[in-house]
Amino acid sequence: MTSQYTQTISEATGVADPELLAEIEDVMRHVIFHSTLDWQTREQLSQAAREALEVIKCTATI
């Protein structure tokens, strides 16, 4: 899944995998902001993307 936020998320996190990008966006929507993303600035989106990636890393099982 790609969205209008995919490129911003990828640039902020260095992630290229489409599935992980979608997961990051989902965490941004449901955990970080509890809302849609359209009212966020690019800077806020970038910061949230990095935070969401950390949430995913912390909850990943190895």
Side-chain angles (χ1 to χ4, degrees):
M1 173 191 104
T2 58
S3 74
Q4 67 190 59
Y5 306 106
T6 302
Q7 184 173 350
T8 300
I9 295 168
S10 180
E11 289 171 0
T13 62
V15 171
D17 176 46
E19 288 182 23
L20 183 52
L21 289 168
E23 187 175 356
I24 292 169
E25 184 173 332
D26 187 65
V27 170
M28 290 169 65
R29 290 178 187 280
H30 298 102
V31 176
I32 306 292
F33 293 118
H34 304 281
S35 180
T36 61
L37 304 178
D38 58 342
W39 57 276
Q40 303 298 329
T41 66
R42 184 175 177 88
E43 183 177 311
Q44 290 170 318
L45 289 170
S46 295
Q47 179 62 36
R50 290 187 289 273
E51 291 175 19
L53 182 56
E54 288 304 311
V55 167
I56 292 166
K57 286 179 180 179
C58 289
T59 59
T61 56
I62 298 174

